[in-house]
């Protein structure tokens, strides 16, 4: 028997999943961090300071939880000697600051000790790791964008504009504070490569996909950006006023702090103390640990031009693309394994909350409960012709605008006008679902490589109708695209999250996105841990791509359910929404930032 382990070190818990070589599940274990709340004072895995916006997690908690869970697995009789490979994921962006003693303390860790978290106390220059929920780096965000001239230029290099949760601004904030803790810092780790280091028994560098979440990594050059690295040490010539030579020295020192980047084929072997305590074989491979969203895309057989739509409280769209087209309104990361593929990530604030507001109004009107009446209307109501809705009960990220609820209508005679009458509530059932799916469709289209749809004779009339609305150039989030950029279709779309259980919502969403090879409801639990586990089983293989390998082994019947649609009319249904896509681009230009 040969097993692989997939770790998922998230905000509130640690999960470990084991799988056989055929990807079938062997077992899974988990531990909630709040089990240790009396020791570390945490709540839901973190310590929060409302006054400063700082959100952190004690570093020793990660080690404490890891040893505790492995001990429980050992006591349960888990066959560690059968594990041949390990990988996994962690919460993204979090930073851990280590002393010069980190490597030595790791290599000398006593397998018989029950208190590794205490044994490593002197390994950390700061006792807490930053958490992705942290919002204490406002000043640092402005500095990062100023260093390169604008948010757009920073995004062009790193795949994202400056964000609160990103690692680089967190590092600069620590440097600005200075003091003895900063002076003791000899190595800066992300949470992901910290776990990699603990599992390997030696300091490991940042995995390349995770590096994209730092605002420090030049994606196209596949290396740290020296100008941005200098910001960590407060030695950037543009914003800190230091001579260029001093900036270059700072960049070199920052590289030493972060260590060498870890490529997809760079594995280590299990730490000696883990082998002796639990019975791992010494040649058990530890493949690079990545971030949670990146691991999620490895839990499914996604190929380029495929989407994963997570329909939860917020909406997140993950897609695989060969096109590097960065935007300040979404993120691009390198794929952890496939070298010529990027992962796009679109994060919307308004998801289930906006849908539920209209549902609640429908239930008040008809004296009904749950989703039954909403779904009935959605299934039978005709879509309002050439009308689009904007439903943002919360300030939205994509596009970056204030909360609002507005409805627009387009006609050839009047152009775009805002509807000032009270729109019938039943019509809004259709409009709310359409608005969210149309926004997803509009923004993913330029990242796709589809060149076939525009040639389909059956959609020519709809294409020309939409072109008359917007012309040959389309502006999306202040970026100009050609009309051809917005009429591309994804290959396959996978849907997950709470609302993916609603067949009526899913049908409209799938009709609008119009995947060429169909849509699928995903029924994969523990996706981050599983993605890590699948990555560990694959390892690295030049003879077959990770995507082809996973597709050949993945149990579609067990883990996905195809969304029913009339295949003969799928492309014409997709094309029927082209007018609304065009109208949405005009409507969004009327919104307040």
């Amino acid at each position: 028997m040969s097993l692989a382990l997939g770790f998922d070190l998230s905000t509130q818990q640690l999960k470990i999943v084991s799988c056989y070589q055929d990807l079938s599940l062997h077992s899974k274990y988990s531990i909630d961090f709040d089990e240790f709340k009396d020791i570390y004072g945490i709540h839901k895995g973190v310590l929060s300071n409302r006054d400063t916006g700082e959100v952190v997690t004690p570093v020793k908690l990660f080690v404490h939880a890891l040893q505790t869970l492995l001990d429980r697995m050992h006591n349960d009789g888990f066959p560690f000697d059968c594990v041949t490979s390990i990988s996994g994921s962690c919460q993204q962006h979090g930073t851990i600051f280590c002393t010069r003693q980190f490597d030595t303390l790791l290599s000398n860790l006593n397998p018989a000790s029950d208190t590794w978290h205490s044994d490593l106390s002197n390994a950390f220059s700061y006792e807490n790791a930053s958490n992705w929920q942290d919002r204490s780096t406002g000043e640092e965000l402005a500095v990062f964008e100023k260093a390169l001239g604008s948010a757009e230029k920073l995004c062009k290099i790193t795949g994202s504009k400056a964000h609160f949760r990103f690692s680089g601004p967190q590092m600069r904030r620590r440097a600005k504070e200075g003091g003895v803790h900063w002076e003791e810092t000899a190595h800066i780790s992300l949470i992901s490569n910290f776990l990699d280091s603990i599992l390997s028994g030696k300091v490991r560098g940042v995995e390349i996909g995770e590096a994209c979440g730092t605002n420090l990594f030049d994606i196209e050059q596949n290396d740290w950006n020296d100008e941005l690295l200098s910001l960590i040490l407060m030695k950037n010539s543009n914003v800190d006023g230091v001579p260029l030579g001093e900036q270059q020295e700072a960049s070199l020192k920052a590289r030493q702090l972060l260590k060498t980047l870890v490529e997809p084929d760079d594995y280590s072997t299990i730490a000696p103390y883990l082998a002796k305590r639990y019975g791992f074989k010494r040649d058990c491979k530890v493949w690079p640990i990545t971030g949670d969203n990146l691991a999620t895309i490895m839990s499914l057989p996604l190929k380029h031009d495929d989407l994963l739509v997570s329909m939860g409280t917020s909406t997140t769209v993950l897609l695989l693309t060969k096109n590097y087209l960065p935007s300040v309104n979404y993120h691009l990361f390198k794929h952890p394994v496939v070298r010529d593929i990027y992962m796009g990530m679109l994060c919307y604030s308004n998801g289930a909350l906006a849908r539920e507001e209209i549902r609640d109004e429908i239930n008040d009107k008809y004296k009904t409960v749950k989703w039954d009446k909403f779904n009935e209307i959605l299934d039978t109501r005709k879509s309002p012709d050439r009308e689009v809705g904007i439903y943002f009960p919360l300030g939205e990220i994509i596009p970056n605008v204030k909360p609002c609820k507005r409805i627009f209508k387009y006609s050839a005679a009047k152009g775009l006008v805002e509807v000032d009458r009270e729109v019938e509530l039943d019509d809004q059932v259709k409009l709310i679902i359409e608005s969210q799916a149309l926004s997803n469709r509009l923004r993913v289209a330029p990242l796709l490589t589809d060149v076939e749809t525009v040639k389909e004779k059956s959609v020519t009339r709809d294409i020309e109708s939409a072109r008359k609305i917007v012309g040959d150039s389309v502006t999306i989030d202040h970026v100009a695209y050609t009309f051809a950029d917005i009429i591309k279709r994804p290959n396959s779309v996978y849907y997950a999250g709470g609302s993916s259980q609603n067949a009526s919502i899913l049908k409209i969403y799938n009709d609008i996105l119009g995947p060429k090879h169909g849509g699928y409801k995903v029924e994969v639990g523990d996706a981050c841990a599983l993605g890590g586990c699948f990555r560990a089983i694959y390892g690295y293989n030049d003879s077959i791509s990770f995507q082809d390998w996973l597709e050949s082994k993945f149990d579609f019947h067990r883990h996905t359910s195809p969304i029913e649609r009339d295949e003969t009319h799928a492309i014409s249904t997709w094309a029927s929404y082209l007018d609304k896509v065009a109208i949405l681009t005009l409507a969004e230009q009327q919104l307040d930032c």
Side-chain angles (χ1 to χ4, degrees), residues 15 79-80 101 156-157 161 182 193 254 261 270 307 341 400 415 424 429 438 440 454 457 487 501 538 541 545:
K15 292 180 183 176
F80 286 102
Q101 300 179 64
K156 175 72 168 64
I157 290 175
K161 69 178 183 179
W182 178 252
N193 63 298
L261 288 157
I270 198 74
L307 312 182
I341 292 288
N400 185 15
E424 190 171 346
V429 169
L438 287 167
N440 295 171
V454 70
K457 292 183 179 180
I487 56 172
Q501 302 304 311
Y538 171 76
N541 190 335
S545 73

Side-chain angles (χ1 to χ4, degrees), residues 48 63 72 114 173 195 207 232 288 380 453 498:
S48 303
V63 182
R72 290 177 183 176
D114 294 328
R173 181 173 70 88
L195 177 58
E207 181 269 326
I232 297 176
T380 58
T453 299

Side-chain angles (χ1 to χ4, degrees), residues 548-574:
D548 289 340
W549 171 84
L550 184 56
E551 184 178 42
S552 71
K553 289 179 170 287
F554 190 80
D555 188 342
F556 281 89
H557 180 73
R558 180 180 179 185
H559 296 302
T560 66
S561 302
I563 298 167
E564 292 186 11
R565 67 175 181 179
D566 183 349
E567 293 297 335
T568 59
H569 295 100
I571 189 169
S572 59
T573 301
W574 171 88

Side-chain angles (χ1 to χ4, degrees), residues 7 66 70 86-87 102-103 105-109 116 192-205 262 266-275 280 282 284-289:
F7 286 70
L66 174 64
L70 290 174
I86 296 172
S87 188
F102 181 43
D103 204 4
L105 288 170
L106 264 187
S107 61
N108 292 324
L109 211 54
W116 287 344
S192 53
N193 63 298
F194 173 74
L195 177 58
D196 194 344
S197 299
I198 297 294
L199 295 175
S200 305
K202 62 182 180 181
V203 176
R204 293 273 286 162
V262 173
D266 185 358
Y267 68 87
S268 58
T269 53
I270 198 74
Y273 47 83
L274 292 174
F280 286 101
R282 283 294 292 119
C284 174
K285 292 181 174 64
V286 180
W287 293 95
I289 309 292

Side-chain angles (χ1 to χ4, degrees), residues 174-342:
R174 292 300 192 195
K176 185 172 65 175
E177 292 171 352
V180 64
H181 296 299
W182 178 252
E183 291 174 2
E184 291 177 348
T185 299
H187 168 58
I188 303 176
S189 174
L190 302 192
I191 295 174
S192 53
N193 63 298
F194 173 74
L195 177 58
D196 194 344
S197 299
I198 297 294
L199 295 175
S200 305
K202 62 182 180 181
V203 176
R204 293 273 286 162
V206 180
E207 181 269 326
I208 57 168
E210 269 284 78
C212 301
T214 63
N215 282 141
L216 299 170
F217 182 70
D218 188 322
I219 291 181
E220 291 187 293
Q221 296 301 315
N222 198 45
D223 194 9
W224 297 118
N225 179 278
D226 285 320
E227 190 171 359
L228 294 169
L229 285 179
S230 68
L231 290 169
I232 297 176
L233 300 176
M234 309 283 290
K235 295 291 180 68
N236 181 273
S237 59
N238 288 338
V239 297
D240 299 311
V242 303
L244 190 58
E246 198 170 333
Q247 173 181 297
Q248 292 170 341
E249 290 178 7
S251 298
L252 288 173
K253 183 177 180 181
R255 285 179 176 271
Q256 294 169 358
L257 288 172
L258 290 166
K259 310 301 181 188
T260 304
L261 288 157
V262 173
E263 294 282 349
D265 58 350
D266 185 358
Y267 68 87
S268 58
T269 53
I270 198 74
Y273 47 83
L274 292 174
K276 291 179 181 178
R277 185 177 181 91
Y278 300 111
F280 286 101
K281 292 180 179 177
R282 283 294 292 119
D283 61 353
C284 174
K285 292 181 174 64
V286 180
W287 293 95
I289 309 292
T290 191
D292 47 15
N293 288 298
L294 291 159
T296 297
I297 64 171
M298 294 193 292
S299 70
L300 293 166
L302 299 178
K303 294 190 173 184
H304 81 274
D305 287 0
D306 287 349
L307 312 182
L308 171 60
V309 182
S310 178
M311 307 172 72
T313 302
S314 58
T315 299
T316 301
V317 181
L318 304 178
L319 73 150
L320 297 189
T321 177
K322 292 185 176 181
N323 295 340
Y324 185 69
L325 292 173
S327 165
V328 295
N329 281 335
Y330 56 75
H331 308 278
L332 284 173
F333 299 81
K334 290 180 73 73
H335 192 287
V337 182
V338 187
R339 295 180 187 270
D340 62 342
I341 292 288
Y342 305 101

